[in-house]
Amino acid sequence: MNDLTCIIIGGGHTGLAALKKIQETTRDMANGRRIRFVLFDKQPGHVRKVMLFRPAAGGEEIMVPWTHYFSEGVEFVQGSVTSVDSGEKRIRYTDTQGNEARIRYDLLVVAVGSIVRRPDPDLGGIALTDPQAAADIRERWRANLRKAAEETNPNPEERKRLMTIAVAGAGISGIETSAELALAMQMEAAALGLNSSDTSVYLLNTQERLFPEGPEKVGRKLDQTLSECGVTVLHNRKAIREEAGVVTLNNGDCLAVGLCIWTIGLIPNPVLRGMGLPLTPNGQVLVDECYRVQGVPGVYSIGDCARIVDPRTGKADLMTCRVGGNQALRLGKIVKADLEGCPAPVHQSMMDAFGIGLGQNRGLLWARKWGLDIIITGKLAWKLKNVAWDWASMLR
């Protein structure tokens, strides 16, 4: 009996989890068919995307070599998949040299995830989109602090501007970015002989409070902890543009800043629109309750790039790596059931739970179970969040 080829498109947190779980569940299949796994990704390593704020603040490396993950029977191809031919069961891709090629599949998992939403370039600032943008952000704020320290006859207003950052977008990414930057800037300022209390980070929140996904008391706790870190949260404020060191807000106010960072959410990976798969209007892959792509045999999709709905509640999963990991766990069982011709498990949403890192030894975890709010803060929450980050990248 012929061996099978399983292709996984996307080496992010969800794609890696899917690879691991399908390997585990199909390893001892009774029919004796071996599965060859091929992972496609355009990056030279796994990027820990949920930690982009780390290199922006402290220069931490967040790319893990593919060799850390691969075992016998797994191949890696660096390239960009451009289309899926479901009739011939082939994908078309472009390699790093720009050459086009095709490869046949028996099973295909689309896990290309999401990308950070980019503002119009004319709006100024830097969007925290990838490791290079993070490195650029770190160089910018550090150069600003050096310039502030080197001024022999400093203009107080200009020095204050150089020591100020605005973070536009107060989702979890914006919250974590602002906290880490505030603490990193204070340390750098002190090392340069500046007054660390003169550094400022403004977090611009378009809504009335932080963390609308949870109860109001969690939003208040986040406000308090961010204030302790040195972050000023401005609610009901939207950045309109940054130009020449001035951020204009929706209420007409202006902030003088050395840097504006955009953290304005995620959108499904635009590469999906060229693949030939059925999509929702906002660009997510249409799948059934078993993650099978509608009308495309042998193709599955999970993670941020797929619209996955709990059939019991009608509730769609959010775009988070924790949710993607849960989907990957079930996908392994689904693939095995489909190969053996057995009934497959259907999707079930996880309980509401979120973890937020707030700088060294600070964090907040919230979960709702049995109608009760469970909140953990401080060093324990920070340690648990780091465990979660490592688990998402399979480093534990």
Side-chain angles (χ1 to χ4, degrees):
M1 192 173 290
N2 295 333
D3 292 343
L4 303 176
T5 297
C6 176
I7 293 177
I8 297 173
I9 308 174
H13 301 93
T14 300
L16 285 177
L19 170 64
K20 179 182 179 183
K21 295 306 176 183
I22 297 173
Q23 275 185 301
E24 290 176 352
T25 55
T26 60
R27 184 172 293 135
D28 300 320
M29 288 182 60
N31 61 16
R33 299 179 78 179
R34 290 178 32 171
I35 298 181
R36 165 202 178 207
F37 292 91
V38 183
L39 177 69
F40 275 82
D41 198 279
K42 66 180 182 180
Q43 298 292 343
H46 164 67
V47 178
R48 306 177 71 186
K49 189 176 72 172
V50 294
M51 298 174 65
L52 273 174
F53 57 87
R54 285 283 183 82
E60 180 176 331
E61 177 58 68
I62 60 168
M63 184 175 287
V64 183
W66 293 121
T67 52
H68 176 83
Y69 302 101
F70 291 167
S71 57
E72 184 178 355
V74 180
E75 304 169 31
F76 168 67
V77 177
Q78 186 176 355
S80 299
V81 175
T82 54
S83 64
V84 177
D85 185 339
S86 57
E88 294 188 3
K89 284 198 166 186
R90 294 180 185 274
I91 63 168
R92 184 184 299 275
Y93 69 94
T94 304
D95 65 19
T96 54
Q97 284 75 45
N99 302 312
E100 289 193 353
R102 296 191 301 170
I103 182 173
R104 190 184 182 283
Y105 65 85
D106 296 287
L107 303 169
L108 178 64
V109 178
V110 180
V112 295
S114 58
I115 66 168
V116 177
R117 190 185 303 274
R118 296 173 182 266
D120 189 298
D122 293 339
L123 299 184
I126 302 177
L128 183 56
T129 55
D130 52 43
Q132 183 56 57
D136 292 344
I137 287 168
R138 183 167 184 262
E139 178 52 38
R140 281 278 299 275
W141 69 257
R142 293 182 74 209
N144 284 344
L145 290 187
R146 290 194 299 270
K147 186 174 180 181
E150 291 166 0
E151 291 286 341
T152 54
N153 296 303
N155 178 321
E157 292 184 357
E158 176 62 7
R159 172 175 276 185
K160 182 61 177 174
R161 184 189 73 81
L162 290 169
M163 299 176 69
T164 300
I165 286 178
V167 177
I172 290 179
S173 177
I175 292 171
E176 293 180 329
T177 299
S178 61
E180 293 270 351
L181 281 171
L183 296 172
M185 289 175 66
Q186 290 164 19
M187 292 180 61
E188 185 76 6
L192 291 170
L194 295 166
N195 187 342
S196 61
S197 63
D198 288 342
T199 62
S200 297
V201 175
Y202 290 95
L203 178 60
L204 307 177
N205 180 25
T206 60
Q207 304 191 63
E208 292 184 357
R209 67 178 179 90
L210 295 174
F211 195 60
E213 299 88 350
E216 188 173 347
K217 58 186 173 183
V218 174
R220 290 197 300 268
K221 185 63 178 178
L222 286 169
D223 254 317
Q224 176 188 335
T225 307
L226 286 170
S227 179
E228 293 169 358
C229 292
V231 177
T232 301
V233 184
L234 301 180
H235 298 290
N236 294 312
R237 293 293 181 269
K238 180 180 179 179
I240 303 301
R241 68 169 58 246
E242 183 276 326
E243 187 174 10
V246 176
V247 175
T248 303
L249 305 182
N250 58 330
N251 67 341
D253 289 348
C254 294
L255 292 175
V257 301
L259 178 62
C260 177
I261 301 168
W262 300 93
T263 56
I264 51 178
L266 304 172
I267 59 172
N269 197 323
V271 73
L272 292 164
R273 296 196 178 274
M275 284 191 181
L277 301 174
L279 305 178
T280 65
N282 79 328
Q284 287 181 299
V285 182
L286 284 166
V287 299
D288 67 11
E289 68 275 9
C290 296
Y291 313 146
R292 306 180 189 109
V293 177
Q294 295 182 13
V296 190
V299 182
Y300 306 83
S301 186
I302 59 173
D304 291 357
C305 66
R307 177 170 173 76
I308 296 176
V309 177
D310 188 328
R312 302 170 306 163
T313 65
K315 180 181 177 181
D317 272 7
L318 299 176
M319 297 167 72
T320 70
C321 69
R322 184 182 71 92
V323 167
N326 182 57
Q327 295 165 3
L329 177 63
R330 187 168 285 107
L331 177 62
K333 300 174 183 177
I334 291 170
V335 169
K336 184 172 189 267
D338 286 352
L339 289 174
E340 294 180 340
C342 301
V346 300
H347 174 70
Q348 293 183 23
S349 297
M350 302 179 70
M351 73 173 183
D352 291 332
F354 291 85
I356 302 173
L358 296 165
Q360 187 68 33
N361 292 326
R362 289 185 176 98
L364 185 146
L365 296 179
W366 167 77
R368 178 172 287 151
K369 186 70 172 177
W370 305 300
L372 300 174
D373 291 317
I374 302 168
I375 301 174
I376 301 173
T377 60
K379 185 179 291 188
L380 177 58
W382 170 253
K383 289 182 177 179
L384 292 173
K385 182 61 176 176
N386 276 274
V387 169
W389 280 324
D390 288 348
W391 173 83
S393 293
M394 295 196 298
L395 298 179
R396 288 181 180 266

